[in-house]
Structures are given as structure tokens and as C-alpha cells.
Amino acid sequence: MKKYSDKYKSKYESCLSRVEKPARYIGNEFGSVHKDITDDMVTFAFCFPDVYEVGMSHLGMKILYHMMNERSDSVCERVFAPWDDMEKEMRSAGIPLLTMESCLPVRSFDIVGFTLQYEMSYSNIVNMLDLAEIPLMAADRTEDDPFVCCGGPCAYHAEPLSDFVDFFILGEGEDVNNEILDVYKQWRGSGKDRDEFLMSLVALGGIYVPKFYDVEFNADNTIKRFEPNRAGIPKTVKKRIIMDLDKTFIPKQLVVPFTETVHDRIMLEIFRGCIRGCRFCQAGYIYRPVRERSTDTLLDTAAACIANTGYEEMSLSSLSTSDYTNLNELIDGLLDMTVDKRINLSLPSLRVDNFSMELLEKVQKVKKSGLTFAPEAGTQRLRDVINKNVTEDDLIRTSGIAFRGGYNRIKLYFMLGLPTETYDDVRGIAELGKKVIDEGFFSIPPEDRKGRSVSITLSTSFFVPKPFTPFQWEPQDKISEMENKAAFLKKNINSKKIVYNWHNSDISLLEAVFAKGDRRLSKVLVTAHELGCKFDGWSDFFDFDKWLEAFRINNIDPEFYANRRIPYDEILPWDYADIGVSKEFLMREHKRAYEEKTTPDCRSACSACGAAEFSGGVCFE
């Protein structure tokens, strides 16, 4: 058919011999879905705004890709950001952005959807739209253009992308994506215009359409007014959520890449949400309340994935794996089906306060995976401020278990620049690292010390105040202060057994700007694209000077977004989204942080955050 012509396929394939990693682009992987597209199908291009190896590690893409392809009346094909060498080949040959499965132009699809996992991918979204030959601005699109949508965690605070996106999906795609496809089928051929389709989507709930809201700014650049501009549009958009995860779509036939990916394994999602309430963690709030999959469902899924993929590793996916209610029962069941097949079982996201030798012995049945723990702060005072609810004794005890269990190296993760942080807190990270090293030495029996040496990798990132957390009103440290703290910490690490790594402060600033930014930043993104910005999460490409130039050209000060304390009564750019956690609760938690008071986890006591409305009562009895 003319609309779905693959006229670019031969030219596209001829480029592969001239690029670094052609396996990123060839498609046809085991488990991929190929359909004969007909005019009556709804076509959805699922775009991941990063390179193939990163995108194919994302569980959400795997779920929604297979879910939409289960329908006979729709087709979903994958799209990834081509690496620089491939993009140059494509632009030189006049090849637009194409889908993986059919080598079809992305612009020929009905709906083009991006997942927003990380603010530093925003420049890639602009670049991919440009490469796809889709008008950048939603206002410039006509009846012949696709609808551009975005979902994922950043959709809750995505005003910087509002000029480019027709609609945002707030919440879990399994709950709403099929409804969107149904509405599109009804609208197509009806003679109604694009706005009428968008109005129909709004009626579904969980859909934010930026053009249906007007924003007015004060002279000081704060928001004066943020209001719907037509009848029938809600003032806030409540997220869509699935309470019974056993009833959600779970793919059991996965796409198996030809090339190694970042997470080259089966990912078994055991629950969503988190009970802990760390005050810096956006995911812990936007995914509330906690919902677990049953052990039987997980074991059935695991067995099917093992049979259908051939992967040699399985990872349990969640925000805090060791908080799964029936973890020991689940692990025992998984080991029964993995040990004989030599499939490694890994447990990321483990906490230092509920780690045991029994758990360690189980996960080492096939091979020893790396162990990473995140104390986040170097002193108990600051851990109480951020509501981490772990102690130094927890970390020392857990480290001893790991070293006695045969580990010679563990990784520890901290943040610099947390609210109320002092240089004593920074020094505390170095001192805590030294205590872990000492514990490693003394926990090993004397007869086993010969030939064994323990070490730790200590990593720090810089605090980014994220929307929908108790710290959303906080300023971020300025770049000079970030770098001073990292240098101070490095100076205080005196052990050669500690390797210290830290995150880029320039990238952290930009992450804060686009996390807390408003829709005026759309023009900065356009300018940055024109200056060549893309793949900003990669050191190979990130160019901070270009970004500063983009801000200067548009007369926008990035420090206004990143380095300013926001008063409670100020209208926030993300106030359009209702995640179920009340702003009043976040304010209470913010005040408790400055009082250095902790809040118990959700299983210990309900803190009345508001998320219980989704379950019709309290989250935990």
C-alpha cells in the first residue's frame, strides 16, 4: 500500500556496512512481531529517545509493545534514536526516521509515542521528530500528520515539551493505551478534526493536552495563572493506575536482541510503588500505592520467559526488591527452575536494613552478582532528614554479611547536595566508607585473610529536586558548590581500597532545570537542537556550552529553575497532574525533614498521603 511503502528499506540497509554497530538497526530479532499492515489497522510507533541498547533494556516498552500487538486491529513497531554515525548516513541519503520491524517512515504512523524516562533525553525527542520529518510544533501539524504523545514518569512534569506534544499519558499504559487505540478507531474517518479527537481522549481520564490549558506568567517569571481554556477540561488530570497487577498484561514472549544491551536479561517485575517514603525519590511517590504481583503469577511468568528467550540471567524488578512480602518463597520457587539451567538470579534494589546471610546464599546459587547498597547520606542526621530509615549499624552489619559470604568488593551509593547538608555530612561519607573497609577486614576469619583483599566503590550523584517529592520546593546546589563538595569528599578519602566516582555537575543542573521547568523551555530545546545538542546523557555528546548559549539566546536563566527556593503558595508547572499524593502531605514531609523527624514506612503506619483513595481504603491493614 502507498501509505506504508517501504521504499527506504534498501537505502537504509546499504548504510549498515558503514556504521559502528549495525546490529542496532537490523531488526528481525527473535520474538519481534511483524504484521501485514492494512488500512483499517491503528498504527503506533513506540519511540525510545535513546540508543537501541538502552531502549531494549526498558521493561515498559516490552510490555506495551506486545500488548498492542496482541490486538488484531493494531500494530506497534519500535523506534530508537540512531547513533551519530547512522544519523549522518540517513540524513545524507535523505532517509527519514524509520521503524525497526518494517522500515516504514515514522511519520506514516497514526500515533507516535515517546517514553519519558529521563529529562536528559528531551533533546533526542526533538531530534527524532526532526529526523522523522514530523513538524516539531504540535500547533503546526495537520490532518496528514501523526499525533505525538508521551508517557512515563517524566510525563507528570513535562511542560518543557508541551509545544511538541499533542497529549501526555499520566499513569500506567496497560490501563489506558488500548482505550486510546479504540478512540482513534472511532475518530478516524469520522470527519471530526484533531481537537475533537483530543477532547475524546481527555474524557478517558489520565490524558493531559497542553493546548487545552493557558499559562500566564508574572513579571518575576513565576506562574500567575494555569487554567483550562475550554469547557469540559479538568483543572487537574488524575493518573491512571491498575490496582490488581495479576490482571495486567504480562508479556511471556520477549524480543531477544542480537547484540548486548544494558540489561541483557529477563526482568521480572514483582511489584510497583514503594513503602519507604524517601523524601528525594520521585518514583516512590508517583507510583503509590504499593501493588504486588502474586507469587504464583510471577513463577508462571518466569517459567514462560525462560522457555521462550534463552536468557542466562533473571533480575527481579522493583523499587525495593527486599520489601516484597513473600520474597523467600518467590526466590525458592525461582531457584527450582533456574539453578539446573545455570540461570543467574540477581536482586537489585536491596536495602541494608533487611539483608541476610540466607538471602545472600540463595542469590549466589549460580554465580555471584555485584552487590550495591544505597545509604544515600554519610551521617545519621542527614539520613533522618531524607527519611532513609537505615542506620550506620545496618550498613556495617550488611557489609560484614557480604564480605563473610565471599564478596571482596561492594558498591555504595550516596548523594551530595541534599537539603540541610553540611561539610561534616560530606566528610561522613568518607568516614563511613572507611568503617565498611574495616568491617570487611575484621569480618573475614584470620585463616582466610591471606590472599583476600576487600574494597569498595563509592559513587556519588548530585541531588536533583524532583517534582512530587517533599523536596520539590528546594533549591539545588550551584555548580561551584557541587564541585567543591565532590573535591572535599575526594580529599577526605584516604584509603586506597576505596574507589571514588562522581556524577557530572553540569548534567545535574540541566536535569533539575528540565525537571522543574515550564513551557517556556520549549524554545530553549529548539535552539539547543539547532546548535546540535542530542544524547545529553552521554559524555560523548554532552556540550554544556551549547546549552548555556541556548539559554542566553532565549534570555532564560537556568538558575531560576534549579537554584531557587520555591514558596509553598507558588503555582508549580506540574500542578496539572494529580498523582494521588496530596501537596499538603508533601508539605508536612518537607517540614518534618527540617525537624530531622522520620516517617514510618507504609506497612508500619499510614501517613495519610492520599494514595489510599486508589484502593478504596487504607493501603495496608
Side-chain angles (χ1 to χ4, degrees):
M1 289 170 298
K2 186 174 181 180
K3 182 180 178 183
Y4 301 110
S5 168
D6 60 355
K7 67 177 183 179
Y8 298 103
K9 185 174 183 179
S10 60
K11 286 202 296 182
Y12 183 77
E13 290 176 345
S14 71
C15 296
L16 300 182
S17 62
R18 299 188 294 274
V19 299
E20 180 184 4
K21 294 183 179 180
R24 290 169 167 164
Y25 313 105
I26 57 178
N28 294 305
E29 310 101 315
F30 179 78
S32 59
V33 180
H34 299 263
K35 292 186 174 184
D36 292 327
I37 303 176
T38 58
D39 284 331
D40 59 338
M41 286 182 171
V42 181
T43 55
F44 191 104
F46 195 129
C47 302
F48 197 96
D50 209 320
V51 74
Y52 176 88
E53 295 94 311
V54 177
M56 282 304 297
S57 299
H58 180 238
L59 182 59
M61 168 175 266
K62 298 177 182 183
I63 293 171
L64 296 178
Y65 170 80
H66 287 285
M67 184 189 80
M68 287 188 274
N69 279 320
E70 286 252 315
R71 298 172 56 132
S72 61
D73 62 350
S74 69
V75 60
C76 177
E77 298 198 350
R78 296 163 297 147
V79 186
F80 303 95
W83 196 245
D84 188 54
D85 56 354
M86 186 61 171
E87 182 184 341
K88 288 176 179 176
E89 292 286 343
M90 293 172 67
R91 290 190 183 275
S92 175
I95 303 171
L97 189 63
L98 306 176
T99 61
M100 285 285 289
E101 280 72 13
S102 303
C103 278
L104 296 174
V106 170
R107 66 171 181 260
S108 69
F109 278 60
D110 298 318
I111 302 173
V112 176
F114 289 88
T115 180
L116 305 180
Q117 298 296 314
Y118 179 40
E119 292 84 357
M120 299 313 295
S121 69
Y122 289 1
S123 59
N124 271 8
I125 293 173
V126 180
N127 190 52
M128 290 172 75
L129 288 174
D130 178 60
L131 184 59
E133 300 176 358
I134 297 171
L136 290 185
M137 300 298 168
D140 295 334
R141 294 180 195 133
T142 69
E143 305 302 319
D144 295 327
D145 294 309
F147 288 93
V148 176
C149 67
C150 292
C154 293
Y156 293 106
H157 56 98
E159 278 291 275
L161 291 172
S162 59
D163 284 352
F164 312 110
V165 178
D166 293 294
F167 64 95
F168 291 92
I169 302 168
L170 307 188
E172 294 168 345
E174 304 103 316
D175 194 44
V176 68
N177 275 36
N178 277 325
E179 295 175 17
I180 293 171
L181 298 180
D182 291 338
V183 169
Y184 187 88
K185 281 187 65 178
Q186 295 170 4
W187 170 82
R188 184 174 57 189
S190 67
K192 296 179 179 180
D193 63 20
R194 290 171 69 92
D195 279 7
E196 289 176 285
F197 169 68
L198 295 173
M199 286 292 293
S200 298
L201 291 185
V202 170
L204 297 176
I207 304 294
Y208 170 59
V209 180
K211 71 179 296 183
F212 292 164
Y213 295 80
D214 289 334
V215 183
E216 185 180 349
F217 294 92
N218 294 307
D220 64 357
N221 291 317
T222 58
I223 297 175
K224 180 178 182 180
R225 188 177 66 88
F226 195 128
E227 299 287 345
N229 56 27
R230 62 188 72 193
I233 301 301
K235 186 173 178 62
T236 59
V237 179
K238 186 180 290 293
K239 73 179 181 183
R240 296 287 296 267
I241 187 172
I242 300 172
M243 288 305 301
D244 188 350
L245 292 189
D246 282 345
K247 295 180 180 178
T248 62
F249 176 83
I250 307 174
K252 297 181 179 180
Q253 172 66 69
L254 303 176
V255 179
V256 182
F258 291 129
T259 186
E260 186 176 356
T261 60
V262 174
H263 299 303
D264 209 19
R265 60 188 73 122
I266 296 168
M267 287 182 286
L268 193 65
E269 184 187 36
I270 59 177
F271 66 88
R272 293 179 187 173
C274 183
I275 65 173
R276 296 295 175 169
C278 297
R279 292 174 179 137
F280 58 84
C281 179
Q282 184 189 63
Y285 294 95
I286 64 174
Y287 293 124
R288 287 190 178 199
V290 169
R291 293 144 293 144
E292 294 188 344
R293 284 199 168 95
S294 68
T295 304
D296 288 343
T297 296
L298 291 170
L299 292 175
D300 288 346
T301 302
C305 289
I306 289 171
N308 293 333
T309 65
Y311 275 116
E312 296 178 349
E313 183 172 350
M314 179 184 296
S315 175
L316 303 189
S317 173
S318 72
L319 293 176
S320 181
T321 298
S322 46
D323 284 330
Y324 181 70
T325 303
N326 298 317
L327 184 62
N328 284 326
E329 178 186 347
L330 174 62
I331 291 176
D332 288 342
L334 292 173
L335 289 174
D336 286 343
M337 64 179 75
T338 58
V339 171
D340 290 344
K341 295 182 176 69
R342 304 301 297 168
I343 296 172
N344 183 49
L345 188 63
S346 66
L347 278 66
S349 306
L350 294 171
R351 284 179 60 89
V352 299
D353 58 340
N354 55 10
F355 187 79
S356 66
M357 180 62 79
E358 178 188 11
L359 185 60
L360 181 66
E361 290 173 348
K362 287 180 178 180
V363 299
Q364 291 187 103
K365 282 285 181 80
V366 175
K367 79 173 185 179
K368 195 181 298 180
S369 300
L371 280 182
T372 301
F373 299 105
E376 309 291 0
T379 63
Q380 193 59 48
R381 184 200 70 81
L382 193 53
R383 286 191 291 275
D384 290 346
V385 167
I386 65 176
N387 205 47
K388 187 63 181 177
N389 279 321
V390 298
T391 67
E392 181 176 298
D393 288 344
D394 291 328
L395 177 61
I396 299 303
R397 178 191 62 83
T398 294
S399 301
I401 291 172
F403 290 128
R404 284 192 300 277
Y407 281 84
N408 294 325
R409 176 186 291 270
I410 61 175
K411 297 179 182 179
L412 301 179
Y413 176 82
F414 296 87
M415 276 191 281
L416 293 175
L418 288 163
T420 79
E421 182 183 68
T422 68
Y423 276 78
D424 285 340
D425 296 311
V426 178
R427 183 185 295 108
I429 296 174
E431 293 172 348
L432 192 53
K434 181 62 167 59
K435 291 176 182 177
V436 170
I437 289 294
D438 291 343
E439 176 67 18
F441 178 79
F442 290 110
S443 64
I444 300 172
E447 63 272 16
D448 296 334
R449 289 176 188 168
K450 186 176 182 181
R452 276 194 69 183
S453 176
V454 299
S455 63
I456 63 172
T457 297
L458 192 157
S459 298
T460 61
S461 65
F462 295 108
F463 166 69
V464 176
K466 289 294 182 87
F468 303 107
T469 71
F471 291 154
Q472 64 182 358
W473 296 280
E474 286 289 319
Q476 184 184 53
D477 278 349
K478 292 189 175 182
I479 286 177
S480 58
E481 183 69 358
M482 294 186 206
E483 293 176 348
N484 286 342
K485 287 180 176 178
F488 179 81
L489 176 55
K490 183 177 181 180
K491 181 180 178 181
N492 278 270
I493 295 174
N494 299 315
S495 173
K496 294 182 178 179
K497 298 182 183 298
I498 300 177
V499 176
Y500 175 43
N501 302 315
W502 64 95
H503 195 58
N504 184 304
S505 57
D506 298 342
I507 291 178
S508 297
L509 170 70
L510 274 188
E511 185 181 346
V513 169
F514 285 104
K516 301 177 74 173
D518 53 53
R519 59 179 59 183
R520 292 172 299 186
L521 290 178
S522 290
K523 58 186 179 181
V524 175
L525 283 165
V526 172
T527 304
H529 167 66
E530 292 168 349
L531 293 172
C533 293
K534 61 183 177 182
F535 284 111
D536 291 298
W538 296 75
S539 59
D540 315 51
F541 288 94
F542 180 68
D543 189 331
F544 191 50
D545 289 338
K546 288 181 179 178
W547 278 103
L548 293 179
E549 178 68 3
F551 284 112
R552 186 195 64 76
I553 290 172
N554 291 284
N555 196 30
I556 288 179
D557 181 5
E559 291 190 0
F560 170 79
Y561 300 102
N563 305 128
R564 180 177 65 93
R565 184 175 298 279
I566 302 174
Y568 287 148
D569 60 355
E570 184 174 318
I571 297 173
L572 303 172
W574 51 92
D575 278 345
Y576 65 82
D578 179 0
I579 65 167
V581 175
S582 71
K583 188 180 285 189
E584 291 71 26
F585 169 76
L586 296 178
M587 289 178 188
R588 290 201 306 270
E589 282 294 288
H590 187 234
K591 293 171 184 175
R592 287 177 68 83
Y594 275 84
E595 295 167 355
E596 299 176 9
K597 293 180 178 178
T598 61
T599 298
D601 68 73
C602 297
R603 285 194 182 123
S604 299
C606 178
S607 300
C609 73
E613 66 172 298
F614 292 111
S615 57
V618 296
C619 300
F620 297 95
E621 297 290 354

